[in-house]
Amino acid sequence: RAAADKADKERAHKAAADKAELEALVQGVPKEDVTGDGGVLKQVITTGTGGTPQAGDKVRAHYSGTLVDGTPFDSSRGRGEPFEFTLGRGQVIRCWDAAFAAMRAGERALLTCAATHA
């Protein structure tokens, strides 16, 4: 049990450090309300240079999913393989369909998704 407790503490510490790093990256970056109802907020970390995808386009992207407190729950980066889906086909949560449609190729952003858009 001691080893599990130590691992839990290490994960919590890493989550807190990752959250602090991300907050530093987006400090002062405005939040764009992608859906107009506050359900999907986007803060651009790296501006993309390509076009925006259209419904039916394949999207390939890395992501790191965390809870509001910074606790990770999923990550394509940890698997070393980008996630791929078809935009606008309901293959992903509503937040992603809306947010990725508003992102340019190469863009990196922090997305905040309300439960109503998950």
Side-chain angles (χ1 to χ4, degrees):
R1 182 68 195 145
D5 288 344
K6 182 180 178 186
D8 286 346
K9 285 181 184 178
E10 287 173 359
R11 275 192 294 278
H13 179 72
K14 180 167 179 5
D18 290 348
K19 181 179 181 189
E21 180 182 346
L22 187 56
E23 287 174 348
L25 281 173
V26 296
Q27 185 175 0
V29 175
K31 293 180 181 180
E32 176 188 344
D33 185 350
V34 174
T35 53
D37 61 3
V40 180
L41 303 177
K42 179 179 82 159
Q43 290 175 279
V44 176
I45 296 168
T46 305
T47 303
T49 57
T52 55
Q54 304 299 310
D57 287 348
K58 291 267 187 208
V59 173
R60 202 171 140 91
H62 270 297
Y63 69 91
S64 297
T66 63
L67 303 176
V68 175
D69 69 359
T71 303
F73 62 83
D74 194 14
S75 174
S76 67
R77 291 186 184 283
R79 290 186 295 277
E81 185 69 31
F83 180 74
E84 188 174 296
F85 66 97
T86 303
L87 189 68
R89 297 285 157 76
Q91 296 177 346
V92 293
I93 61 174
R94 288 177 48 204
C95 174
W96 278 23
D97 266 336
F100 280 95
M103 294 175 73
R104 296 188 170 281
E107 184 173 305
R108 185 172 176 217
L110 171 64
L111 305 177
T112 304
C113 306
T116 55
H117 291 70

